[in-house]
Amino acid sequence: MSSTEAIEVTVTAPIASFRNPLYQGIQAGLPCPPPSTVGGMLAATVGDWESVPRGTRFAMAFTAEGSGTDLETYHPAAAKAASRKATIKDRHFLTHINLTAWLLRDLDMWEQAIRTPVWPLRLGRSQDLATARIRRVFLASGGTGTQGHALIPHTTRPDPAFRNNGEQMQLPTAMTIDRARTAWGIYRYARTGSPAQIPADYTTPGGQAVILLPQIHPHTAFATA
């Protein structure tokens, strides 16, 4: 079986919050960051989307050790001034998060960008700073791997022995630069991890399935939508 060199990025933060954009007027949280959020973080490391190679794709896995709810000032987006008054809303958050992302193209560029990012590294809300570690790894091509905590396209089918490979979610894959349009995708994610064996684009030496997610660059994602 052939192998491919990749960059493995590990992002950690004490607190992160990922608002579900399908719910308006409430701060419902997602159990993992959507692809658009991770794509935005990568774009920030190189400065802007114009500096991101248009063919950029990544695979990802995510864990959180805990969760909670606090209060946050909420500013409604409304046409009428009377409807734009700030109010207090519950906010769902995750604690001690760990995001692993794999990049297989433009390795030198991403390695430099993540080690010395143009903008501070954030995942989710702008006030929640994160840190990143990066290393070169070799991934085996093809085969099957363990789903674990990977975010995967909903079309990925597990071994028939595993009936449940996580919850199905509709998540933003990419947004236009002016944030006027969103490209949506349907994904599956197992909060507590899944032992399901699934067909993979690549696998890590430890057997983790690495499945590349769709295009996240605004120009490319909407050109192929």
Side-chain angles (χ1 to χ4, degrees):
M1 183 178 293
S2 62
S3 63
T4 300
E5 189 175 20
I7 284 178
E8 183 180 271
V9 185
T10 302
V11 179
T12 58
I15 289 179
S17 181
F18 310 112
R19 188 180 71 82
N20 190 333
L22 291 175
Y23 294 88
Q24 298 298 321
I26 61 174
Q27 297 292 77
L30 291 167
C32 66
S36 61
T37 294
V38 179
M41 181 192 71
L42 292 174
T45 67
V46 294
D48 54 37
W49 277 110
E50 295 304 320
S51 302
V52 176
R54 297 197 178 191
T56 297
R57 298 174 67 190
F58 59 82
M60 61 173 276
F62 179 83
T63 61
E65 293 184 14
S67 63
T69 303
D70 64 5
L71 297 176
E72 182 176 55
T73 303
Y74 176 73
H75 298 270
K80 295 181 180 180
S83 302
R84 294 198 298 266
K85 293 181 180 179
T87 185
I88 301 297
K89 297 281 188 179
D90 288 341
R91 176 186 69 104
H92 175 260
F93 64 87
L94 303 171
T95 62
H96 301 291
I97 64 98
N98 186 301
L99 166 73
T100 304
W102 291 272
L103 294 154
L104 284 88
R105 295 175 57 178
D106 306 294
L107 303 189
D108 292 338
M109 186 209 75
W110 286 118
E111 190 170 53
Q112 177 67 24
I114 293 167
R115 290 188 188 281
T116 56
V118 173
W119 301 105
L121 199 63
R122 298 181 174 94
L123 186 64
R125 299 191 313 164
S126 61
Q127 59 265 54
D128 293 334
L129 295 178
T131 59
R133 301 188 308 275
I134 190 169
R135 64 172 183 157
R136 297 278 183 123
V137 297
F138 284 92
L139 305 175
S141 300
T144 61
T146 303
Q147 179 179 336
H149 292 89
L151 180 68
I152 61 175
H154 83 290
T155 52
T156 304
R157 301 302 181 191
D159 185 293
F162 298 95
R163 296 192 178 187
N164 181 14
N165 67 322
E167 62 189 289
Q168 183 171 293
M169 299 181 293
Q170 185 171 348
L171 301 175
T173 300
M175 295 183 182
T176 53
I177 293 175
D178 62 3
R179 303 178 70 87
R181 296 174 60 200
T182 300
W184 297 88
I186 303 176
Y187 301 90
R188 298 194 74 87
Y189 175 71
R191 300 179 191 226
T192 58
S194 171
Q197 295 297 301
I198 55 178
D201 296 321
Y202 304 90
T203 54
T204 69
Q208 168 70 55
V210 175
I211 300 177
L212 293 172
L213 301 180
Q215 302 276 3
I216 48 91
H217 196 291
H219 299 318
T220 308
F222 289 90
T224 58

